[in-house]
Amino acid sequence: MNILKAILLTALLLGLEVLISLGVYEFIEPKVTDSLSDDNLIHYFGITGRIPTVIAYFIVFFLSYRAVFNFNKGIEKMKGIKPEFLLYLILIAIGLEFFDRPLFDFSKIYDYLSGTELKPFEFSKSSNLSVLYRGISVLIIAPIFEELFFRKFLFGKVLKKHSLTLSIIVSSICFSLIHLPSYRNLLPTFIFGIIACLIYNKTNNIFYTIILHFLTNLSWLLLMSYGKYYYQWSYGLNYNFVYWLLFIFGIGLSYIGIKKITVANKV
């Protein structure tokens, strides 16, 4: 696959999701939301917020990725997962939490260094229903569909025509772009894309990157939903020596996990 096609497929995926979401917003939402209770509204937005993503992926898969899923081969790949690699994936996920923190805090760090008064820490607690639907999105839909598309399909196809380095960069850029309009998430997702491509390239087993994606998103979900005291502590460090020591620790932890997996699986 050439690079332009990879970018166009990513644009198509984004466009379809936006169009389907707009269709739901324009034609369905006005007719049903006024009559729903608060809990039912959470159900409604929880369901309609995920359906466009799933439909968009199915359409793009149908148009571009016509390989028939081999159930037996999938089971074989699952059975081939090495238990010790799960520990390495956990190390990477924990390391990424510390490593990504300055990337998410970039604007706050800039304000702090420029002498701008920082806003007080605020933690907004979500309802259990909201956490449930968010969990469906980030723990099921995202790990499965995003890894199948951006690593197994897009990265795999681009790699057939281009170098490993270029294929990783293209796939990771496309992966980061689907997280728009969350600009704070562009660099962390780009870095995650690079790590996932490296692991998939060495193991040739998409289940490893699906599990890593799940673990990374699980860490984010738990902290976003219940990590009030962690964020209070982290925010209270005021980007001091300990804050940056944790950043370096995160790099080291992730590097060890990646190295253990990639060195043990030279294919």
Side-chain angles (χ1 to χ4, degrees), residues 3 10 22 41 44 52 64 70 76 95 109 116 168 172 185 193-194 216 218 222 249 260 264:
I3 295 171
T10 304
L22 285 175
L41 276 174
Y44 169 80
S64 60
N70 189 323
E76 185 180 325
I109 294 171
T116 304
I168 289 175
S172 300
N185 214 10
I194 291 174
T216 305
L218 177 63
L222 291 175
F249 173 72
K260 287 286 188 180

Coordinates of all heavy atoms in Angstrom, one line a residue, residues 3 10 22 41 44 52 64 70 76 95 109 116 168 172 185 193-194 216 218 222 249 260 264:
I3 N 1.6 5.4 0.6 CA 1.4 6.2 1.8 C 0.1 7.1 1.6 O -0.7 7.2 2.5 CB 2.6 7.2 2.0 CG1 3.8 6.3 2.4 CG2 2.3 8.2 3.1 CD1 5.1 7.1 2.5
T10 N -7.5 6.6 6.3 CA -7.7 7.1 7.6 C -8.6 8.3 7.6 O -9.5 8.5 8.5 CB -6.3 7.6 8.2 OG1 -5.4 6.5 8.2 CG2 -6.5 8.2 9.6
L22 N -23.2 13.0 12.9 CA -24.0 14.1 12.5 C -25.4 13.7 12.1 O -26.4 14.3 12.5 CB -23.4 14.9 11.3 CG -22.2 15.8 11.6 CD1 -21.6 16.3 10.3 CD2 -22.6 16.9 12.6
L41 N -30.8 9.0 29.3 CA -30.0 9.9 28.5 C -28.5 9.4 28.5 O -27.9 9.4 27.4 CB -30.0 11.3 29.0 CG -31.2 12.2 28.6 CD1 -31.1 13.5 29.3 CD2 -31.1 12.4 27.1
Y44 N -28.5 6.5 26.2 CA -28.7 7.0 24.8 C -27.3 7.5 24.3 O -26.9 7.1 23.2 CB -29.7 8.1 24.7 CG -29.7 8.8 23.4 CD1 -30.3 8.2 22.3 CD2 -29.1 10.0 23.2 CE1 -30.3 8.8 21.0 CE2 -29.0 10.6 21.9 CZ -29.7 10.0 20.9 OH -29.6 10.6 19.6
P52 N -21.4 5.0 15.8 CA -20.7 5.6 14.6 C -19.3 5.0 14.4 O -18.9 4.8 13.3 CB -20.7 7.1 14.9 CG -21.9 7.3 15.7 CD -21.9 6.1 16.6
S64 N -11.7 -2.1 2.1 CA -10.3 -2.2 1.9 C -9.6 -3.5 2.4 O -8.5 -3.9 1.9 CB -9.6 -1.0 2.6 OG -9.8 -1.0 4.0
N70 N -9.8 -16.0 9.9 CA -9.5 -17.4 10.1 C -9.6 -17.7 11.6 O -8.7 -17.4 12.4 CB -8.2 -17.8 9.6 CG -8.0 -19.3 9.6 OD1 -8.4 -20.0 10.5 ND2 -7.3 -19.9 8.6
E76 N -5.2 -20.1 17.5 CA -3.8 -20.5 17.6 C -2.9 -19.4 18.0 O -1.9 -19.6 18.8 CB -3.3 -21.0 16.2 CG -1.9 -21.6 16.1 CD -1.5 -22.0 14.7 OE1 -2.4 -22.5 14.0 OE2 -0.3 -21.9 14.4
G95 N 4.8 2.2 32.5 CA 5.8 3.1 32.1 C 5.2 4.3 31.3 O 5.6 5.4 31.4
I109 N 2.7 22.9 32.0 CA 4.1 23.1 32.3 C 4.6 24.4 31.7 O 5.3 25.2 32.3 CB 4.9 21.9 31.7 CG1 4.6 20.6 32.4 CG2 6.4 22.2 31.7 CD1 5.2 19.4 31.8
T116 N 2.8 32.0 34.7 CA 1.3 32.2 34.8 C 0.7 31.4 35.9 O 1.2 30.3 36.2 CB 0.7 31.6 33.5 OG1 1.3 32.3 32.3 CG2 -0.8 31.9 33.4
I168 N 6.3 2.4 10.1 CA 5.9 2.7 11.5 C 5.5 4.2 11.6 O 4.5 4.4 12.3 CB 7.1 2.4 12.4 CG1 7.4 0.9 12.5 CG2 6.9 3.0 13.8 CD1 8.6 0.6 13.3
S172 N 1.7 5.3 12.6 CA 1.5 5.9 13.9 C 0.9 7.3 13.7 O 0.2 7.8 14.6 CB 2.9 6.0 14.6 OG 3.4 4.7 14.8
N185 N -3.7 14.6 22.9 CA -3.5 13.2 22.8 C -2.7 12.8 21.6 O -2.4 11.6 21.4 CB -4.9 12.5 22.7 CG -4.9 11.1 23.3 OD1 -3.9 10.8 24.0 ND2 -5.9 10.4 23.1
G193 N 1.7 4.3 19.1 CA 1.7 3.7 17.8 C 3.0 3.1 17.4 O 3.1 2.0 16.8
I194 N 4.1 3.8 17.7 CA 5.4 3.3 17.4 C 5.7 2.1 18.1 O 6.2 1.1 17.6 CB 6.5 4.4 17.7 CG1 6.3 5.6 16.7 CG2 7.9 3.9 17.6 CD1 7.2 6.8 17.0
T216 N -3.1 -0.1 28.6 CA -2.9 1.3 28.6 C -4.2 2.1 28.8 O -4.2 3.0 29.6 CB -2.2 1.8 27.3 OG1 -1.0 1.0 27.1 CG2 -1.8 3.2 27.4
L218 N -6.9 0.9 30.2 CA -7.5 0.6 31.5 C -6.8 1.5 32.6 O -7.5 2.0 33.5 CB -7.2 -0.9 31.8 CG -7.6 -1.4 33.2 CD1 -9.1 -1.3 33.4 CD2 -7.1 -2.8 33.5
L222 N -9.1 4.0 34.8 CA -9.2 3.9 36.3 C -8.7 5.2 36.9 O -9.4 5.7 37.9 CB -8.3 2.8 36.8 CG -8.8 1.4 36.4 CD1 -7.8 0.3 36.9 CD2 -10.1 1.1 37.1
F249 N 11.8 7.4 34.9 CA 11.4 6.1 35.3 C 10.5 5.4 34.3 O 10.6 4.2 34.0 CB 10.8 6.1 36.7 CG 10.3 4.8 37.2 CD1 11.1 3.8 37.6 CD2 8.9 4.6 37.3 CE1 10.6 2.6 38.1 CE2 8.4 3.4 37.7 CZ 9.2 2.4 38.1
K260 N 12.5 -6.6 26.1 CA 12.3 -8.0 26.5 C 11.5 -8.7 25.4 O 11.8 -9.8 25.1 CB 11.6 -8.1 27.9 CG 12.5 -7.7 29.0 CD 13.5 -8.8 29.3 CE 14.2 -8.6 30.6 NZ 15.2 -9.6 30.9
A264 N 13.3 -11.1 22.3 CA 12.9 -12.5 22.4 C 12.2 -13.0 21.2 O 12.0 -14.2 21.0 CB 12.1 -12.7 23.7

